[in-house]
Amino acid sequence: MTQTTDIPREQQPRLLDAFCCQGGAGMGYHHAGFDVTGVDKDPQTRYPLGFHQSDAIDFIRAFGSGFDFIHASPPCQHDTDCQRIQGNAHPDLIAPTREALNATGRPWVIENVPEAAWDGTLRADYLLCGTQFGLNVRRRRAFETSWNGGGDLLPPCWHHKGLLAFEHKGERAYADAMGCTWMNKTEARQAVPPAYTEWIATQYLSHETEAAA
């Protein structure tokens, strides 16, 4: 597993990982040197960091301003093509999440599926894929940030033959390829690969350094 950045704990910025599930996103920020606390309405027995069981939006409204940075991954079912094709209706949680985040006055990131950006629900400041980080997975995710993107460039994604997807039959292979080694395949299907948020964290820290200069 990737080692965390060597930042003394008393100097680690505090990060809230909202809608955390089993901690793929949170682990990436942990690797980047953040002190991470997860919140989710469901119990997450394998969440590897500090955890509170609570409604994520309510928690952001009540406690979000006490953190240095907030990551939110609202459920993606409202915007996924498969749910639309099946005629399943799900609430849009991106808009109320954004409203709650803005009210905290803290910097934030919202992550979701690319379809959320294509239909205008989410602004895709960054669109990331596993192959950009050397991961053997086809998994695109969009990120809207309070600082409106910018920063380092990544190589374009390359969906070559042999990439693993949700349909891969190996119970461990998909989770391991994502870097979510503590999860099973079902949990990994809901996860953000830690490499994505570790990279997002470096963009945020670079932005803060430039803003302070």
Side-chain angles (χ1 to χ4, degrees), residues 93-103 108 110 120-123 144:
L93 294 179
I94 292 177
T97 297
R98 185 188 294 113
E99 180 181 3
L101 291 170
N102 282 330
W108 52 261
I110 301 175
T121 306
L122 185 79
R123 185 186 66 241
E144 177 180 332

Side-chain angles (χ1 to χ4, degrees), residues 60 64-65 67-68 70 99-108 146:
I60 291 170
S65 62
F67 291 83
D68 299 299
I70 306 172
E99 180 181 3
L101 291 170
N102 282 330
T104 68
R106 298 302 187 186
W108 52 261
S146 59

Side-chain angles (χ1 to χ4, degrees), residues 2-143:
T2 305
Q3 297 298 310
T4 58
T5 302
D6 187 18
I7 300 176
R9 183 171 179 80
E10 63 273 12
Q11 299 178 19
Q12 289 181 328
R14 296 184 66 229
L15 181 134
L16 177 61
D17 179 17
F19 307 95
C20 65
C21 292
Q22 295 287 359
M27 185 58 75
Y29 290 110
H30 173 68
H31 289 166
F34 285 76
D35 179 12
V36 178
T37 299
V39 60
D40 200 285
K41 67 179 180 61
D42 299 318
Q44 304 295 342
T45 57
R46 275 194 280 269
Y47 191 79
L49 305 162
F51 175 75
H52 289 277
Q53 185 175 351
S54 177
D55 179 86
I57 295 177
D58 288 346
F59 195 91
I60 291 170
R61 289 171 176 157
F63 304 107
S65 62
F67 291 83
D68 299 299
F69 186 74
I70 306 172
H71 172 99
S73 291
C76 63
Q77 286 87 349
H78 176 267
D79 293 286
T80 53
D81 288 338
C82 64
Q83 294 293 324
R84 291 173 177 171
I85 291 170
Q86 295 173 22
N88 297 328
H90 295 274
D92 170 21
L93 294 179
I94 292 177
T97 297
R98 185 188 294 113
E99 180 181 3
L101 291 170
N102 282 330
T104 68
R106 298 302 187 186
W108 52 261
V109 168
I110 301 175
E111 174 273 330
N112 219 270
V113 292
E115 293 94 326
W118 299 339
D119 67 15
T121 306
L122 185 79
R123 185 186 66 241
D125 295 314
Y126 302 105
L127 184 62
L128 304 182
C129 178
T131 58
Q132 294 172 294
F133 299 93
L135 304 179
N136 192 39
V137 291
R138 184 174 70 247
R139 190 168 184 78
R140 284 178 171 162
R141 284 297 181 270
F143 295 80

